[in-house]
Amino acid sequence: MSFLVARDLRKTYGPVTALADIGLEVEEGEFVTLLGPSGSGKTTLLMAIAGFTRPDSGTISLAGRDITGVEPEDRDFGFVFQGYALFPHMSVADNIAFPLKVRKWDRARIAARVEEMLATVGLADLAKRKPRELSGGQQQRVAIARALAFHPKILLLDEPLSALDRTLRETMQRELKRLHRQTGVTFLYVTHDQEEAIAMSDRIAVFQKGRIVQVGAPRDLYYAPSTRFVAGFLGVNNLVDARVVRGAGGAVEIEALGARVALPPGKVAALPEGPATVFMRPEDIALEPTPGEPSLAIAGTVADVSFVGSFDLVVIEPRGGPEITAHLPADRTRALPVGAPITVHVRADAIGVVPNA
Ligand SMILES: Nc1ncnc2c1ncn2[C@@H]1O[C@H](COP(=O)(O)OP(=O)(O)O)[C@@H](O)[C@H]1O
Ligand SMILES: [Mg+2]
């Protein structure tokens, strides 16, 4: 049995279904991210797990014990929430000590733990400062130290880095990963930023309209999204309308962008004939076919070329469909001429097919 289990959770606000049929299992020590667009139910699920929101139905259990009715303060979870601000009149050290005082730790133990947490988040020199004397990143480190100080059973984080600029956000992402490794605490993290989710998580649960539509490791979601929505949300380029057809001898073929190719057996056994969506990663589009491998040969013209350093970003206008983007090897001397005819090749085993729904 998993460490944290949410089963059949449902929550409505009047006509709005914030959560429907939510099932999620998190292992002890895992870093799991709830990823989805704004309004898809991520915060509602986190609040239900925290105990601040009571679900209409369903259960939440921790280490085999039903905690659905347990008060938030008795769950022993740490929180780093949007707008869950530091206490402005307290020093950094007092902020971190606060949850320990609430738990009636003795003074010596509190002092030792505060010192340890300050060192862990790299703020040992700033213990006496007030929150307003800190940068945004430093404040967030204090919030994280405060949330981890009492050895929470789980750390719940709701878009904790969304207010920081890009560079600081990336630094803090690495820092949170390090803290996760170092403490071994289970992290449940909410973000709408797919890059952040991919970079940080052991597993990601993708939300769409109050439901979890796919759960998996970042690589699984990236390479094998189960729906067009997940593929699009995971930042896949080149989602293209296609048709699934049965070729000679029963092979499954796809028709897209004016070309046709047989897919490897087994890949799309469950797909019915008819309209579907294919996706092709820019890095899987090549100027030459791979010898001995069936490929989709897409003919079109070069619409745009940008030199981005490690590759050329080439936009192609296929004869039979919308523009696609390819990462082609950078030519050291010149760009492909815009307007020139071009044929690019995508290996059949690199083509993803998902139902349109
Ligand atoms: N307290 C509330 N009262 C009414 N509607 C709410 C409340 N909290 C959330 N909702 C609605 O529930 C849906 C999910 O919200 P939320 O969980 O905050 O989404 P996310 O965190 O993914 O952006 C939204 O439509 C939101 O407007
Ligand atoms: Mg939210």
Side-chain angles (χ1 to χ4, degrees):
M1 142 114 38
S2 298
F3 186 54
L4 175 72
V5 180
R7 190 159 288 150
D8 299 327
L9 287 185
R10 192 176 169 79
K11 179 75 187 174
T12 54
Y13 293 105
V16 176
T17 301
L19 296 178
D21 305 328
I22 293 287
L24 182 68
E25 303 203 354
V26 177
E27 302 304 326
E28 189 160 20
E30 236 188 335
F31 193 132
V32 172
T33 295
L34 314 180
L35 171 70
S38 174
S40 59
K42 309 178 298 292
T43 294
T44 304
L45 177 56
L46 209 69
M47 287 297 177
I49 289 170
F52 295 120
T53 293
R54 196 53 57 88
D56 300 341
S57 56
T59 58
I60 299 166
S61 64
L62 185 76
R65 174 175 162 242
D66 188 328
I67 59 162
T68 318
V70 172
E71 291 302 321
E73 57 272 23
D74 298 326
R75 296 189 185 196
D76 245 3
F77 293 173
F79 314 113
V80 184
F81 285 166
Q82 283 166 322
Y84 194 72
L86 299 173
F87 306 115
H89 54 285
M90 286 187 199
S91 69
V92 165
D94 288 341
N95 264 281
I96 298 172
F98 184 81
L100 309 180
K101 286 181 182 151
V102 169
R103 284 169 176 77
K104 308 229 179 328
W105 287 27
D106 70 54
R107 278 174 60 180
R109 191 169 165 226
I110 291 177
R113 183 61 176 161
V114 168
E115 196 171 321
E116 190 180 3
M117 289 316 298
L118 283 166
T120 302
V121 297
L123 294 177
D125 297 340
L126 305 181
K128 297 208 161 57
R129 294 243 184 118
K130 294 281 167 56
R132 65 170 180 280
E133 298 163 331
L134 302 176
S135 71
Q138 289 167 336
Q139 289 185 31
Q140 214 43 307
R141 285 194 181 94
V142 177
I144 293 161
R146 184 177 62 179
L148 281 170
F150 61 93
H151 304 289
K153 296 202 178 93
I154 300 182
L155 183 60
L156 305 173
L157 306 106
D158 193 348
E159 315 232 10
L161 309 183
S162 56
L164 307 179
D165 68 45
R166 188 186 173 88
T167 317
L168 187 54
R169 210 160 60 223
E170 285 170 3
T171 308
M172 291 297 295
Q173 287 172 10
R174 282 199 301 281
E175 191 125 321
L176 277 170
K177 277 169 79 174
R178 178 182 62 79
L179 282 170
H180 173 250
R181 276 196 304 272
Q182 200 170 312
T183 60
V185 170
T186 308
F187 277 38
L188 194 56
Y189 191 93
V190 165
T191 183
H192 64 273
D193 179 336
Q194 51 94 6
E195 282 182 36
E196 185 163 292
I198 287 176
M200 301 184 75
S201 321
D202 294 321
R203 287 188 306 141
I204 298 170
V206 182
F207 275 67
Q208 181 183 19
K209 296 184 185 154
R211 291 170 193 273
I212 294 177
V213 287
Q214 193 173 0
V215 184
R219 274 165 226 270
D220 296 337
L221 296 187
Y222 190 78
Y223 289 110
S226 60
T227 66
R228 184 171 183 142
F229 173 82
V230 175
F233 204 74
L234 268 279
V236 177
N237 290 311
N238 304 325
L239 285 167
V240 172
D241 288 329
R243 288 190 67 74
V244 175
V245 291
R246 297 279 155 186
V252 176
E253 300 188 353
I254 55 136
E255 258 174 23
L257 300 173
R260 184 161 167 158
V261 68
L263 293 175
K267 178 157 187 163
V268 287
L271 273 177
E273 282 186 80
T277 298
V278 298
F279 56 92
M280 296 168 279
R281 315 234 160 232
E283 62 270 26
D284 288 326
I285 297 177
L287 279 171
E288 302 292 337
T290 308
E293 297 268 358
S295 340
L296 191 70
I298 304 163
T301 51
V302 176
D304 189 43
V305 182
S306 320
F307 174 62
V308 294
S310 49
F311 55 83
D312 280 343
L313 190 88
V314 181
V315 179
I316 296 157
E317 236 166 48
R319 258 179 241 141
E323 286 181 348
I324 58 170
T325 303
H327 296 175
L328 299 177
D331 189 310
R332 289 186 177 241
T333 51
R334 63 185 192 95
L336 286 164
V338 170
I342 187 171
T343 299
V344 290
H345 304 265
V346 191
R347 279 191 345 270
D349 66 4
I351 298 172
V353 189
V354 289
N356 273 347

